[in-house]
């Protein structure tokens, strides 16, 4: 029964979970940013490719 009391009072696991959630949110933010930049670059390259002469590519 003593181990159960120590387990409930132990906050190290909670801290690890919080750090994990923060890391996950940062990862989602990076994925969203990279996806947005990638979409913008694709549009830019398609625009440039469309303006090149037919035999240039």
């Amino acid at each position: 029964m003593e181990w159960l009391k120590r387990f409930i009072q132990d906050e190290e696991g909670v801290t690890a979970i919080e750090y994990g959630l923060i890391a996950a949110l940062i990862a989602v933010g990076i994925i969203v940013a990279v996806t947005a930049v990638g979409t913008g670059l694709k549009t830019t390259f398609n625009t440039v490719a469309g303006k090149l002469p037919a035999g240039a590519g």
Side-chain angles (χ1 to χ4, degrees):
M1 205 56 172
E2 184 65 30
W3 65 271
L4 183 60
K5 288 179 185 177
R6 280 185 282 149
F7 180 76
I8 292 172
Q9 293 174 349
D10 186 15
E11 294 184 7
E12 288 181 18
V14 175
T15 303
I17 291 172
E18 289 171 349
Y19 284 135
L21 289 172
I22 291 170
L25 288 173
I26 290 171
V28 168
I30 290 171
I31 290 169
V32 168
V34 168
T35 301
V37 169
T39 302
L41 281 175
K42 182 178 179 181
T43 302
T44 301
F45 281 120
N46 285 337
T47 301
V48 170
K51 293 184 179 184
L52 291 175

